[in-house]
Amino acid sequence: MSETVTVNEPATQGPADEPTATGERADLLEVLATHRRFLRLTTRDLTDEQAGRRTTASQLCLGGLIKHVASVERTWVRFILEGPSAMPDFTALTEADWARRADEFRMLPGETLAGVLADYAEVARRTDELVVALPDLDATQPLPEAPWSEPGGRWSARRVLMHIVAETAQHAGHADIIRESMDGAKTMG
């Protein structure tokens, strides 16, 4: 039997001795936190089975979307720190690689919504810590090999963080449609 998961909001402030973000960094973190919250809210009061259910014509489910967003955020944060070696060469992926990548978008046997949400919270915590501690948001890395990357392109840490915000917001919208198709619940309105 699947257990219903209630989404608890994470604390907005850490212990008093932790550094906090100000200015642009605070703005980036606030916008990202808003879209993360919208994404998590789509799973409120759902069972594992419901989180894995497809409710639209797409292959997407709520648990899978959160897994994907966590994976994307984790990988792009590694990119900020390590450069393109943090990512695969997308031009050389095999069918088996693409099949494993597709598993990000669904709940697999043995996965739970609570586990997916916990992983996402940990990824978010690490990203937030990096944003506060990063010495320079203007530092750039060359983009990885991918059909969608501009040849010779470079992204700054700031650009990567804006990409993470955009990816999270886009998938929060997808999640809202999936949840509304399931039972009429919405994150807003």
Side-chain angles (χ1 to χ4, degrees), residues 36-104:
R36 285 176 180 149
R37 182 171 47 84
F38 288 150
L39 180 57
R40 283 191 318 272
L41 277 173
T42 64
T43 66
R44 69 191 174 283
D45 302 324
L46 293 182
T47 65
D48 296 336
E49 185 273 327
Q50 289 170 314
R53 184 181 306 155
R54 292 176 40 217
T55 63
T56 65
S58 84
Q59 295 293 314
L60 301 175
C61 68
L62 294 174
L65 275 174
I66 292 172
K67 282 175 51 179
H68 171 69
V69 171
S71 175
V72 166
E73 185 170 325
R74 180 185 297 112
T75 302
W76 278 107
V77 165
R78 283 187 52 223
F79 171 83
I80 290 172
L81 298 170
E82 302 168 22
S85 65
M87 297 183 171
D89 176 351
F90 290 98
T91 63
L93 293 181
T94 66
E95 284 187 39
D97 294 329
W98 285 111
R100 278 189 296 279
R101 188 168 163 78
D103 284 345
E104 281 183 2

Side-chain angles (χ1 to χ4, degrees), residues 112-126:
T112 64
L113 178 56
V116 167
L117 289 168
D119 180 58
Y120 187 41
E122 179 60 20
V123 168
R125 183 191 65 75
R126 288 182 182 161

Side-chain angles (χ1 to χ4, degrees), residues 4-40:
T4 300
V5 173
T6 300
V7 176
N8 295 316
E9 294 300 313
T12 55
Q13 293 182 320
D17 60 343
E18 284 185 13
T20 58
T22 59
E24 176 185 22
R25 293 168 195 251
D27 290 344
L28 284 167
L29 289 175
E30 182 180 337
V31 170
L32 183 54
T34 296
H35 293 296
R36 285 176 180 149
R37 182 171 47 84
F38 288 150
L39 180 57
R40 283 191 318 272

